[in-house]
Amino acid sequence: MRAPLPRGPVSAQVLSWLKGRVAPDVPHVRRLLQEPSADIICDEDRQLTLWTLYELHYTGFDDIGAGWEWSPECLAVRRVLETEFEHHMRASTRDTVRAVCARAGGVAERLFALVLEDDSPSLGRYIQRQADRSEAVEFLIHRSIYNLKEADAHTWAIPRLTGAAKVALVELQYDEYGTGNLDRLHSQMFADTLRACGLDSSVGAYIDEVPAVTLSLNNGLTMFGLHRRLTAAAMGHLAAFEASSSQPSRQVARGLRRLGFPEPAAAYFDEHVEADAVHEQVATRNICEVLVTQDPRRSEDVFFGAAAGIYLDARVAGYVLNAWATGRSALLPELPAPDVLGA
Ligand SMILES: [Fe+2]
Ligand SMILES: [Fe+2]
């Protein structure tokens, strides 16, 4: 994948470093980030910068050297962005987390209740009943940012878990990674869906078209995966993610068939109706419940990760449905050429 286009002064600066055009200047970027964002979730410049820095830990970019992954300058900028982003996620979920912590019942039951009580707008229902073909295509483009590297961020938790929770996470991820069969690798199945719908299935093909809110969903997950102190949040996120997947997957599969996309387009979503009905049990009971039994202090972060995942999902759904309701695209208009921003 090629590096993305910058979206503002911070991403322009950082991309210039990464491409070797200017020497890293952390104090300058810190000054650019001094004023807090009006809305970090929809801040194109900050979310794109964070996404780019995080991508260095996945498969990276063809036009950026792998040596940048652990550069102190990149980590310093990451830290400023992550601090603001985590603060926002914690503040936005504080009441929910407090309420679920105070509730009686087991960890799994409380996680299921959290998902069930979420009354945010449903993209799955819209795709099933109302979306036209161009909206369905936009939906797949938004999803491509995560689904083409599906499960990878949660995998970072494996060496940080012990005992039964580790065994259960490996069991779940083995399924996500195709149980030894490339055709069943979930990211590969999603690539098949994209191709069946006439879309580009290469990783990052649509990065310049996807708005900050969708990058924030991915960044939240990567943040949980990369920080050992947030491992319990990563597993809470996984539990909420799996427990809120089966029903929307069924809805999207029906929507794609209603719209007449070729049959292979729905296969990825069909697979998740069945698979995630099992995964939600593994994630809530065999991972999160066990984690909290091993160390009860982890319960708050398990619920924080779950609530944050639900919150970010709701922000994406709200953004996309609002755009469509007002007759607009939920993708970005064409970005300016890099030299306009000096990257
Ligand atoms: Fe999956
Ligand atoms: Fe799953």
Side-chain angles (χ1 to χ4, degrees), residues 150 172 176 186 241-242 272 275-276 279:
E150 182 163 335
L172 197 160
E176 299 287 346
H186 286 190
F241 185 82
E242 298 290 355
H272 283 77
D276 288 346
H279 293 171

Side-chain angles (χ1 to χ4, degrees), residues 3-85:
L5 292 170
R7 301 188 187 180
V10 178
S11 50
Q13 263 296 309
V14 171
L15 281 160
S16 295
W17 304 353
L18 299 177
K19 292 183 172 188
R21 293 188 185 138
V22 295
D25 182 352
V26 174
H28 176 56
V29 171
R30 278 216 181 92
R31 280 193 296 279
L32 291 172
L33 291 169
Q34 216 159 24
E35 285 294 309
S37 176
D39 179 6
I40 182 89
I41 302 298
C42 287
D43 190 315
E44 298 293 342
D45 196 23
R46 290 177 200 222
Q47 291 294 346
L48 194 265
T49 306
L50 190 53
W51 183 87
T52 303
L53 293 171
Y54 279 157
E55 188 56 36
L56 299 173
H57 299 281
Y58 290 99
T59 51
F61 304 98
D62 301 339
D63 48 347
I64 292 174
W68 282 103
E69 181 180 2
W70 298 107
S71 91
E73 292 88 358
C74 289
L75 297 182
V77 173
R78 235 183 72 181
R79 182 164 175 75
V80 177
L81 293 166
E82 285 175 328
T83 302
E84 187 181 8
F85 185 30

Side-chain angles (χ1 to χ4, degrees), residues 230-244:
L230 294 171
T231 300
M235 294 300 92
H237 182 286
L238 175 65
F241 185 82
E242 298 290 355
S244 57

Side-chain angles (χ1 to χ4, degrees), residues 95-118 299 303:
D95 292 347
T96 308
V97 173
R98 248 184 225 148
V100 74
C101 283
R103 196 178 262 185
V107 171
E109 274 59 44
R110 285 185 281 167
L111 284 166
F112 282 125
L114 201 58
V115 170
L116 267 179
E117 287 161 12
D118 172 38
S299 68
F303 294 129

